[in-house]
Amino acid sequence: MSEKDQTNEPGAAASPSAPPSGPAGKRPGARRGAHPLARFLIRRILIAVLLAWGITLVTFVLTNLVPGDPVAANLGQRALGDPAIVAQWRSEHGLDKPLWQQYVLHLQGVVHGDLGTSQQSHRPVSQDLAEFVPATLELAGAAILVSLVLGVAFGVVAALRRDRLSDHALRVLSLIGISVPTFWLALVAFYVFFYRLQITPGSGRVDPALAGVPGVTGLQTVDALLAGRWDVFGSAVGHLVTPALVLALYTIGLLTRFTRSAVLEVLGQDYVRAARAKGLPGRVILFRYVLRSALVPIITVAGLAFGSLLSGTVLVEAIFAWPGVGQYAYKSATTLDLPAVMGVGLVVGVVYLVINLIVDVLYGVIDPRVRLQ
């Protein structure tokens, strides 16, 4: 019931602290011409910008607090004994300046899209990330897509068939998916499906024998489709299936359990009972009433799961030799490549911010109460 209907209801008393209403039920101080969703989006973007600055500060501080000497990690012990070489190397990489000056220079570079130069590859970090991030995005995107389809479907089935055999079976499967370590599952899947059964391709993103396609997006499947190379597309999908399913298993179990709980909670609401009493078809009740109300918490879990997939693919990428940002981060951390480590941290943090922003916008689209508060 709307606010206007409540005030017109017989016996409803107006609150003495409520502001006076003008014509059409709007407050005199209310901003006109701005859509509530637009104001909601602007607020979230401003908060995201502030958080992005905080991410640069946190990644810089934590990276410089890591024990170890980047000079020794990059030059070796023999060069470390020559003070002239050490001083020149520290000067070239800006490590001879105070920390606050290093952070200011780092922040200026981030604003201009310059994340520094990798001490290992001797290339701009932004260029390295542009090469490795799309591979991880493709892998995590395929995993979250499979997780959403299967996890939500399994959760709805389990909720509608509560305490039946199918419900118990799906709950056991979801528990197994959450409990099994991802790296162990990746090793088993690689050994069984590639080495023993030989029904899946080997490591990498595409067969080495196939000629490369122009890198438009960095996603092998998308670029192959844009170039009309169906052979490359089939190879890319074949290489993507096994690692994506391995990554998706945990998220499928998580979404199954969470969707089941959310749907069961909505099924007990009065408006669902009223819809059933009116004789509405079960399909209409499920999609228009139950799923729409349950989507808000499901979207929250899906957004966090996608961020975790992006930042937690290191072991899976190592087992399947997937050239993604996880491998780049691991090599950068073991060699104390500070610019690369800070670049990876910034990218992961920004990805989380973008995902949270998308989730917030979806909140406002699905539930109008969110954008009006």
mmCIF file of all heavy atoms in Angstrom, residues 126-158:
data_model
loop_
_atom_site.group_PDB
_atom_site.id
_atom_site.type_symbol
_atom_site.label_atom_id
_atom_site.label_comp_id
_atom_site.label_asym_id
_atom_site.label_seq_id
_atom_site.Cartn_x
_atom_site.Cartn_y
_atom_site.Cartn_z
ATOM 1 N N SER A 126 50.392 -1.994 -17.077
ATOM 2 C CA SER A 126 49.079 -1.928 -17.730
ATOM 3 C C SER A 126 49.046 -2.788 -18.980
ATOM 4 O O SER A 126 48.032 -3.417 -19.294
ATOM 5 C CB SER A 126 48.745 -0.476 -18.080
ATOM 6 O OG SER A 126 49.760 0.090 -18.903
ATOM 7 N N GLN A 127 50.175 -2.866 -19.705
ATOM 8 C CA GLN A 127 50.235 -3.716 -20.900
ATOM 9 C C GLN A 127 50.193 -5.198 -20.514
ATOM 10 O O GLN A 127 49.527 -6.004 -21.176
ATOM 11 C CB GLN A 127 51.506 -3.407 -21.683
ATOM 12 C CG GLN A 127 51.631 -4.167 -22.999
ATOM 13 C CD GLN A 127 52.876 -3.766 -23.773
ATOM 14 O OE1 GLN A 127 53.518 -2.764 -23.468
ATOM 15 N NE2 GLN A 127 53.231 -4.560 -24.773
ATOM 16 N N ASP A 128 50.892 -5.561 -19.445
ATOM 17 C CA ASP A 128 50.837 -6.952 -18.976
ATOM 18 C C ASP A 128 49.435 -7.326 -18.536
ATOM 19 O O ASP A 128 48.925 -8.412 -18.869
ATOM 20 C CB ASP A 128 51.811 -7.141 -17.813
ATOM 21 C CG ASP A 128 53.257 -7.145 -18.262
ATOM 22 O OD1 ASP A 128 53.508 -7.326 -19.468
ATOM 23 O OD2 ASP A 128 54.140 -6.967 -17.408
ATOM 24 N N LEU A 129 48.782 -6.440 -17.776
ATOM 25 C CA LEU A 129 47.441 -6.732 -17.285
ATOM 26 C C LEU A 129 46.436 -6.804 -18.428
ATOM 27 O O LEU A 129 45.500 -7.614 -18.385
ATOM 28 C CB LEU A 129 47.010 -5.667 -16.267
ATOM 29 C CG LEU A 129 47.779 -5.677 -14.946
ATOM 30 C CD1 LEU A 129 47.355 -4.501 -14.077
ATOM 31 C CD2 LEU A 129 47.552 -6.984 -14.205
ATOM 32 N N ALA A 130 46.609 -5.971 -19.436
ATOM 33 C CA ALA A 130 45.718 -6.033 -20.592
ATOM 34 C C ALA A 130 45.830 -7.362 -21.324
ATOM 35 O O ALA A 130 44.888 -7.791 -22.001
ATOM 36 C CB ALA A 130 46.030 -4.882 -21.553
ATOM 37 N N GLU A 131 46.942 -8.037 -21.157
ATOM 38 C CA GLU A 131 47.130 -9.343 -21.794
ATOM 39 C C GLU A 131 46.594 -10.476 -20.932
ATOM 40 O O GLU A 131 46.025 -11.444 -21.458
ATOM 41 C CB GLU A 131 48.624 -9.565 -22.058
ATOM 42 C CG GLU A 131 48.964 -10.904 -22.673
ATOM 43 C CD GLU A 131 50.449 -11.075 -22.900
ATOM 44 O OE1 GLU A 131 51.171 -10.062 -22.915
ATOM 45 O OE2 GLU A 131 50.896 -12.239 -23.039
ATOM 46 N N PHE A 132 46.747 -10.363 -19.604
ATOM 47 C CA PHE A 132 46.391 -11.471 -18.723
ATOM 48 C C PHE A 132 44.985 -11.377 -18.152
ATOM 49 O O PHE A 132 44.356 -12.407 -17.887
ATOM 50 C CB PHE A 132 47.400 -11.568 -17.572
ATOM 51 C CG PHE A 132 48.777 -11.953 -17.988
ATOM 52 C CD1 PHE A 132 49.830 -11.053 -17.901
ATOM 53 C CD2 PHE A 132 49.033 -13.218 -18.490
ATOM 54 C CE1 PHE A 132 51.102 -11.403 -18.292
ATOM 55 C CE2 PHE A 132 50.304 -13.586 -18.886
ATOM 56 C CZ PHE A 132 51.345 -12.673 -18.791
ATOM 57 N N VAL A 133 44.482 -10.181 -17.921
ATOM 58 C CA VAL A 133 43.161 -10.025 -17.284
ATOM 59 C C VAL A 133 42.038 -10.619 -18.145
ATOM 60 O O VAL A 133 41.142 -11.285 -17.611
ATOM 61 C CB VAL A 133 42.896 -8.553 -16.946
ATOM 62 C CG1 VAL A 133 41.440 -8.325 -16.561
ATOM 63 C CG2 VAL A 133 43.800 -8.110 -15.797
ATOM 64 N N PRO A 134 42.002 -10.396 -19.482
ATOM 65 C CA PRO A 134 40.910 -10.992 -20.268
ATOM 66 C C PRO A 134 40.826 -12.509 -20.154
ATOM 67 O O PRO A 134 39.729 -13.071 -20.182
ATOM 68 C CB PRO A 134 41.235 -10.556 -21.705
ATOM 69 C CG PRO A 134 42.015 -9.299 -21.550
ATOM 70 C CD PRO A 134 42.836 -9.502 -20.322
ATOM 71 N N ALA A 135 41.970 -13.182 -20.019
ATOM 72 C CA ALA A 135 41.936 -14.644 -19.874
ATOM 73 C C ALA A 135 41.222 -15.036 -18.585
ATOM 74 O O ALA A 135 40.400 -15.967 -18.574
ATOM 75 C CB ALA A 135 43.355 -15.207 -19.894
ATOM 76 N N THR A 136 41.517 -14.333 -17.489
ATOM 77 C CA THR A 136 40.842 -14.629 -16.226
ATOM 78 C C THR A 136 39.377 -14.235 -16.282
ATOM 79 O O THR A 136 38.514 -14.941 -15.729
ATOM 80 C CB THR A 136 41.553 -13.902 -15.076
ATOM 81 O OG1 THR A 136 42.918 -14.331 -15.023
ATOM 82 C CG2 THR A 136 40.890 -14.205 -13.746
ATOM 83 N N LEU A 137 39.070 -13.126 -16.931
ATOM 84 C CA LEU A 137 37.670 -12.719 -17.075
ATOM 85 C C LEU A 137 36.869 -13.757 -17.851
ATOM 86 O O LEU A 137 35.719 -14.061 -17.509
ATOM 87 C CB LEU A 137 37.582 -11.362 -17.776
ATOM 88 C CG LEU A 137 37.895 -10.119 -16.943
ATOM 89 C CD1 LEU A 137 37.862 -8.881 -17.821
ATOM 90 C CD2 LEU A 137 36.914 -9.980 -15.793
ATOM 91 N N GLU A 138 37.468 -14.305 -18.895
ATOM 92 C CA GLU A 138 36.776 -15.327 -19.683
ATOM 93 C C GLU A 138 36.521 -16.578 -18.854
ATOM 94 O O GLU A 138 35.420 -17.153 -18.883
ATOM 95 C CB GLU A 138 37.605 -15.677 -20.915
ATOM 96 C CG GLU A 138 36.908 -16.612 -21.885
ATOM 97 C CD GLU A 138 37.701 -16.777 -23.166
ATOM 98 O OE1 GLU A 138 38.955 -16.774 -23.098
ATOM 99 O OE2 GLU A 138 37.091 -16.911 -24.238
ATOM 100 N N LEU A 139 37.520 -16.997 -18.090
ATOM 101 C CA LEU A 139 37.377 -18.194 -17.262
ATOM 102 C C LEU A 139 36.362 -17.975 -16.143
ATOM 103 O O LEU A 139 35.457 -18.792 -15.930
ATOM 104 C CB LEU A 139 38.739 -18.565 -16.675
ATOM 105 C CG LEU A 139 38.785 -19.779 -15.753
ATOM 106 C CD1 LEU A 139 38.290 -21.027 -16.458
ATOM 107 C CD2 LEU A 139 40.209 -19.989 -15.229
ATOM 108 N N ALA A 140 36.489 -16.852 -15.423
ATOM 109 C CA ALA A 140 35.557 -16.573 -14.324
ATOM 110 C C ALA A 140 34.154 -16.286 -14.834
ATOM 111 O O ALA A 140 33.169 -16.656 -14.195
ATOM 112 C CB ALA A 140 36.071 -15.400 -13.496
ATOM 113 N N GLY A 141 34.041 -15.627 -15.996
ATOM 114 C CA GLY A 141 32.721 -15.347 -16.554
ATOM 115 C C GLY A 141 31.986 -16.618 -16.942
ATOM 116 O O GLY A 141 30.780 -16.760 -16.681
ATOM 117 N N ALA A 142 32.698 -17.554 -17.561
ATOM 118 C CA ALA A 142 32.062 -18.838 -17.898
ATOM 119 C C ALA A 142 31.660 -19.591 -16.637
ATOM 120 O O ALA A 142 30.585 -20.203 -16.571
ATOM 121 C CB ALA A 142 33.017 -19.678 -18.738
ATOM 122 N N ALA A 143 32.507 -19.538 -15.602
ATOM 123 C CA ALA A 143 32.200 -20.241 -14.360
ATOM 124 C C ALA A 143 30.980 -19.648 -13.664
ATOM 125 O O ALA A 143 30.107 -20.382 -13.179
ATOM 126 C CB ALA A 143 33.421 -20.203 -13.424
ATOM 127 N N ILE A 144 30.885 -18.324 -13.607
ATOM 128 C CA ILE A 144 29.741 -17.718 -12.913
ATOM 129 C C ILE A 144 28.460 -17.900 -13.712
ATOM 130 O O ILE A 144 27.361 -18.016 -13.142
ATOM 131 C CB ILE A 144 30.014 -16.224 -12.624
ATOM 132 C CG1 ILE A 144 29.042 -15.681 -11.574
ATOM 133 C CG2 ILE A 144 29.921 -15.401 -13.896
ATOM 134 C CD1 ILE A 144 29.148 -16.323 -10.240
ATOM 135 N N LEU A 145 28.557 -17.942 -15.043
ATOM 136 C CA LEU A 145 27.367 -18.177 -15.858
ATOM 137 C C LEU A 145 26.808 -19.575 -15.605
ATOM 138 O O LEU A 145 25.595 -19.748 -15.397
ATOM 139 C CB LEU A 145 27.706 -17.996 -17.340
ATOM 140 C CG LEU A 145 26.553 -18.162 -18.330
ATOM 141 C CD1 LEU A 145 25.462 -17.129 -18.067
ATOM 142 C CD2 LEU A 145 27.054 -18.046 -19.766
ATOM 143 N N VAL A 146 27.687 -20.567 -15.598
ATOM 144 C CA VAL A 146 27.251 -21.938 -15.294
ATOM 145 C C VAL A 146 26.708 -22.014 -13.871
ATOM 146 O O VAL A 146 25.691 -22.679 -13.605
ATOM 147 C CB VAL A 146 28.421 -22.919 -15.494
ATOM 148 C CG1 VAL A 146 28.049 -24.315 -15.022
ATOM 149 C CG2 VAL A 146 28.838 -22.959 -16.962
ATOM 150 N N SER A 147 27.355 -21.330 -12.952
ATOM 151 C CA SER A 147 26.920 -21.358 -11.548
ATOM 152 C C SER A 147 25.541 -20.758 -11.378
ATOM 153 O O SER A 147 24.711 -21.284 -10.630
ATOM 154 C CB SER A 147 27.933 -20.609 -10.679
ATOM 155 O OG SER A 147 29.223 -21.161 -10.799
ATOM 156 N N LEU A 148 25.274 -19.638 -12.050
ATOM 157 C CA LEU A 148 23.966 -19.000 -11.921
ATOM 158 C C LEU A 148 22.858 -19.883 -12.478
ATOM 159 O O LEU A 148 21.799 -20.032 -11.844
ATOM 160 C CB LEU A 148 23.978 -17.648 -12.646
ATOM 161 C CG LEU A 148 24.679 -16.497 -11.926
ATOM 162 C CD1 LEU A 148 24.780 -15.285 -12.843
ATOM 163 C CD2 LEU A 148 23.932 -16.130 -10.649
ATOM 164 N N VAL A 149 23.094 -20.456 -13.653
ATOM 165 C CA VAL A 149 22.057 -21.282 -14.274
ATOM 166 C C VAL A 149 21.765 -22.515 -13.418
ATOM 167 O O VAL A 149 20.613 -22.789 -13.048
ATOM 168 C CB VAL A 149 22.469 -21.674 -15.699
ATOM 169 C CG1 VAL A 149 21.469 -22.662 -16.281
ATOM 170 C CG2 VAL A 149 22.557 -20.441 -16.589
ATOM 171 N N LEU A 150 22.807 -23.251 -13.064
ATOM 172 C CA LEU A 150 22.604 -24.491 -12.325
ATOM 173 C C LEU A 150 22.280 -24.250 -10.859
ATOM 174 O O LEU A 150 21.401 -24.908 -10.289
ATOM 175 C CB LEU A 150 23.859 -25.376 -12.439
ATOM 176 C CG LEU A 150 24.213 -25.862 -13.845
ATOM 177 C CD1 LEU A 150 25.447 -26.754 -13.815
ATOM 178 C CD2 LEU A 150 23.045 -26.609 -14.469
ATOM 179 N N GLY A 151 22.972 -23.298 -10.235
ATOM 180 C CA GLY A 151 22.748 -23.054 -8.817
ATOM 181 C C GLY A 151 21.349 -22.560 -8.514
ATOM 182 O O GLY A 151 20.689 -23.052 -7.591
ATOM 183 N N VAL A 152 20.872 -21.583 -9.289
ATOM 184 C CA VAL A 152 19.522 -21.064 -9.065
ATOM 185 C C VAL A 152 18.481 -22.124 -9.393
ATOM 186 O O VAL A 152 17.490 -22.305 -8.666
ATOM 187 C CB VAL A 152 19.302 -19.786 -9.900
ATOM 188 C CG1 VAL A 152 17.859 -19.318 -9.799
ATOM 189 C CG2 VAL A 152 20.238 -18.682 -9.422
ATOM 190 N N ALA A 153 18.682 -22.862 -10.484
ATOM 191 C CA ALA A 153 17.719 -23.914 -10.853
ATOM 192 C C ALA A 153 17.661 -25.001 -9.781
ATOM 193 O O ALA A 153 16.572 -25.422 -9.364
ATOM 194 C CB ALA A 153 18.104 -24.521 -12.201
ATOM 195 N N PHE A 154 18.819 -25.457 -9.307
ATOM 196 C CA PHE A 154 18.834 -26.478 -8.262
ATOM 197 C C PHE A 154 18.202 -25.959 -6.971
ATOM 198 O O PHE A 154 17.474 -26.691 -6.279
ATOM 199 C CB PHE A 154 20.274 -26.928 -7.981
ATOM 200 C CG PHE A 154 20.878 -27.743 -9.094
ATOM 201 C CD1 PHE A 154 22.255 -27.954 -9.143
ATOM 202 C CD2 PHE A 154 20.095 -28.302 -10.095
ATOM 203 C CE1 PHE A 154 22.822 -28.698 -10.161
ATOM 204 C CE2 PHE A 154 20.653 -29.047 -11.121
ATOM 205 C CZ PHE A 154 22.021 -29.244 -11.144
ATOM 206 N N GLY A 155 18.475 -24.700 -6.633
ATOM 207 C CA GLY A 155 17.910 -24.136 -5.412
ATOM 208 C C GLY A 155 16.396 -24.022 -5.465
ATOM 209 O O GLY A 155 15.705 -24.305 -4.477
ATOM 210 N N VAL A 156 15.864 -23.621 -6.622
ATOM 211 C CA VAL A 156 14.412 -23.515 -6.769
ATOM 212 C C VAL A 156 13.764 -24.898 -6.686
ATOM 213 O O VAL A 156 12.734 -25.084 -6.013
ATOM 214 C CB VAL A 156 14.064 -22.822 -8.101
ATOM 215 C CG1 VAL A 156 12.567 -22.891 -8.383
ATOM 216 C CG2 VAL A 156 14.516 -21.364 -8.067
ATOM 217 N N VAL A 157 14.357 -25.874 -7.363
ATOM 218 C CA VAL A 157 13.806 -27.234 -7.317
ATOM 219 C C VAL A 157 13.835 -27.773 -5.893
ATOM 220 O O VAL A 157 12.861 -28.382 -5.416
ATOM 221 C CB VAL A 157 14.595 -28.154 -8.272
ATOM 222 C CG1 VAL A 157 14.180 -29.603 -8.081
ATOM 223 C CG2 VAL A 157 14.371 -27.733 -9.714
ATOM 224 N N ALA A 158 14.933 -27.551 -5.194
ATOM 225 C CA ALA A 158 15.028 -28.043 -3.816
ATOM 226 C C ALA A 158 13.998 -27.377 -2.913
ATOM 227 O O ALA A 158 13.435 -28.027 -2.026
ATOM 228 C CB ALA A 158 16.442 -27.801 -3.282
#
